[in-house]
Amino acid sequence: MSISKVGIVILNYMTYELTIKCLASLNEIAYDNFFVVVVDNSSPNDSYAKIKDYVNKNIFSYEIYLTKSERNGGYSYGNNIGVQKAEAIGADYVLIMNNDIIIPDKEFLSKITDFLDKNKDTAIAGPGIIQKKGMIELPLLISRIKPYNYIINNLFYPFVIFLNKIAKKRIQNLQTPLKVYAVSGCCFVIRTKIFNEIGYFDDNIFLYGEEYILGEKLYKRGYGVYFLPNLHIIHNHSVTIGSVYDSKKITRMQIKSHEYYLKHYRNDISYIMRSLMVYSDYFREKVYVPVITIAKKMINIVKK
């Protein structure tokens, strides 16, 4: 069994109730060598005080380090603070974990660190993520983004949704690790030494697209990123993001982040092609997203 030291980084923004619940649940993890760093990302409410009070009044099976950022610089900025703190404490691996994650498997850390210990060229391992209907979500991105595929996917977005549903059903039976380009940023484990080598997260990104940048950095250095479908976590995605931003704001942030990724990390793609890719994002947002949103509302009304 792995004895590698793991630092779990949890970023909090306003949702202290979720963070407290998450800290309590981690008492069930059967692993003797981990600690937790909680970073409050300059929440405008009393999150920091609430979490601090909870930590001081309760006993945990692990060490907790609580800190607060000077400003809300977004996902990458806040997590970088936690990662560097975990690195200073001596973590061999860092588990980036949203506060709305549930880890049902008590052996989760043992299994995921054992995989990394046995695969030295692998930088990241990400679990299968269950969000809706008890099904495992597809890996964030299996292969590196190709310009023509990217544009076609946006232009024929409804068809892509249909194909993804088929792929999602097939992946439920996958048991072996799958090499991918990027895993979801809500929960993954990365080697601390490699995280330092690639300069951590790019904190010029406020929210969304961090995983693409991370995947590209690792791709260029020849490190592996693996999706572990037989190791599951549960993610209530809408709780944290949906409570702060509306769907239009989220979509625009996603597009801006993808544009940044293309401009600063994909110089192998021509300027004209990058521009077309971004325009195709806006096409998808303006044409398909409103129609799909209305369709979902109509379906929900009919079901009621």
Side-chain angles (χ1 to χ4, degrees), residues 253-293:
M253 284 193 292
Q254 289 172 334
I255 292 175
K256 287 295 183 184
S257 294
H258 290 171
E259 185 176 4
Y260 179 88
Y261 157 79
L262 291 170
K263 180 179 179 180
H264 295 276
Y265 290 91
R266 295 301 305 273
N267 290 328
D268 57 303
I269 303 173
S270 70
Y271 171 78
I272 292 176
M273 187 58 70
R274 293 200 307 267
S275 299
L276 290 173
M277 292 168 76
V278 173
Y279 287 140
S280 74
D281 278 332
Y282 282 107
F283 174 84
R284 184 196 69 229
E285 180 198 8
K286 296 296 184 182
V287 175
Y288 291 126
V289 172
V291 174
I292 292 171
T293 301

Side-chain angles (χ1 to χ4, degrees), residues 29-60:
I29 296 294
Y31 194 81
D32 294 329
N33 199 15
F34 80 94
F35 61 90
V36 174
V37 179
V38 178
V39 180
D40 180 64
N41 214 6
S42 194
S43 299
N45 62 2
D46 56 352
S47 279
Y48 181 82
K50 291 283 188 181
I51 297 170
K52 184 177 181 180
D53 183 61
Y54 174 76
V55 170
N56 289 338
K57 290 181 178 179
N58 290 274
I59 298 174
F60 300 88

Side-chain angles (χ1 to χ4, degrees), residues 115-245:
F115 174 81
L116 287 165
D117 285 344
K118 293 173 183 177
N119 296 273
K120 301 299 184 182
D121 292 331
T122 298
I124 287 179
I129 298 169
I130 298 173
Q131 289 189 171
K132 297 177 181 178
K133 300 179 180 179
M135 296 181 71
I136 301 168
E137 297 294 323
L138 291 171
L140 185 68
L141 202 59
I142 294 177
S143 57
R144 194 174 185 230
I145 291 174
K146 297 179 180 178
Y148 289 105
N149 291 350
Y150 188 92
I151 293 170
I152 290 171
N153 286 345
N154 277 332
L155 295 180
F156 298 94
Y157 187 58
F159 186 63
V160 171
I161 292 176
F162 174 74
L163 291 178
N164 282 344
K165 286 185 177 181
I166 296 175
K168 187 175 178 180
K169 288 181 180 180
R170 290 177 177 174
I171 208 170
Q172 304 307 307
N173 298 318
L174 182 65
Q175 294 297 315
T176 57
L178 177 67
K179 189 173 184 180
V180 298
Y181 179 70
V183 295
S184 172
C186 75
C187 184
F188 67 87
V189 176
I190 183 170
R191 294 182 191 275
T192 311
K193 184 177 180 180
I194 293 178
F195 216 177
N196 176 291
E197 177 187 328
I198 65 174
Y200 312 105
F201 287 114
D202 185 334
D203 57 20
N204 289 300
I205 291 288
F206 185 83
L207 191 61
Y208 296 110
E210 307 90 353
E211 305 98 332
Y212 289 7
I213 293 173
L214 199 56
E216 183 65 16
K217 287 181 176 183
L218 296 171
Y219 171 86
K220 288 177 176 175
R221 289 168 174 79
Y223 292 119
V225 177
Y226 276 84
F227 171 70
L228 310 182
N230 60 339
L231 191 57
H232 306 156
I233 60 96
I234 301 169
H235 182 212
N236 191 357
H237 182 270
S238 61
V239 172
T240 50
I241 304 299
S243 63
V244 180
Y245 304 108

